[in-house]
Amino acid sequence: MITVKSPGLLTTIQDLGRHGFQKYGVIASGVMDHTAHRIANILVGNDENEPTIEMTLVGPTFEFHEDALIAICGGDLSATINGDPVRLWRPIFVKKNSELKFSACRLGCRAYLAVAGGFAIETVLNSKS
């Protein structure tokens, strides 16, 4: 389980979108950076369409209540775990009771957080976005 301690500026759950409903006026939505989203999921062993947390410009702060395998891909939002800098584009083991904090962006404007096993989000119109 993960607790959101601070939401950041624009933090959302996104997948690759809902396709096939445009004729009904429903936009596809989904992640802005398909490549970063897909790679983050692959790095933790998830399906490429599994939802990730998309963070924009100023990131959130999370508390992990159990051990987790994560990956952060996309822009550099100055991620730290318990104050230690985190490298992007690789699997990262997070220990129980750790704090993952994002702050101002250094490069790019969106980052993607994937967690092994995904998030418990209901599917609506073939999407979890």
Side-chain angles (χ1 to χ4, degrees):
M1 187 169 110
I2 302 171
T3 299
V4 178
K5 293 177 72 175
S6 170
L9 179 63
L10 181 59
T11 304
T12 59
I13 298 282
Q14 298 291 335
D15 61 15
L16 295 175
R18 57 184 60 81
H19 301 281
F21 297 95
Q22 290 78 11
K23 63 186 172 188
Y24 304 113
V26 178
I27 61 172
S29 297
V31 295
M32 294 296 290
D33 183 341
H34 288 234
T35 302
H37 164 86
R38 286 181 161 144
I39 291 173
N41 271 318
I42 289 168
L43 287 171
V44 297
N46 291 344
D47 180 80
E48 292 180 28
N49 194 40
E50 188 67 33
T52 57
I53 297 178
E54 181 180 75
M55 302 161 282
T56 305
L57 295 175
V58 177
T61 301
F62 301 105
E63 183 177 350
F64 286 77
H65 299 286
E66 55 191 46
D67 292 347
L69 180 66
I70 68 167
I72 303 164
C73 294
D76 184 352
L77 299 185
S78 308
T80 61
I81 296 176
N82 299 327
D84 295 324
V86 174
R87 295 184 67 189
L88 307 178
W89 302 92
R90 67 193 64 235
I92 303 159
F93 179 74
V94 180
K95 292 182 182 177
K96 178 180 178 179
N97 298 323
S98 292
E99 180 181 84
L100 172 61
K101 182 176 183 173
F102 296 86
S103 48
C105 63
R106 292 184 198 161
L107 180 65
C109 69
R110 285 187 184 82
Y112 297 85
L113 171 65
V115 177
F119 300 99
I121 305 293
E122 183 180 345
T123 300
V124 177
L125 300 176
N126 300 328
S127 175
K128 295 181 181 180
S129 288

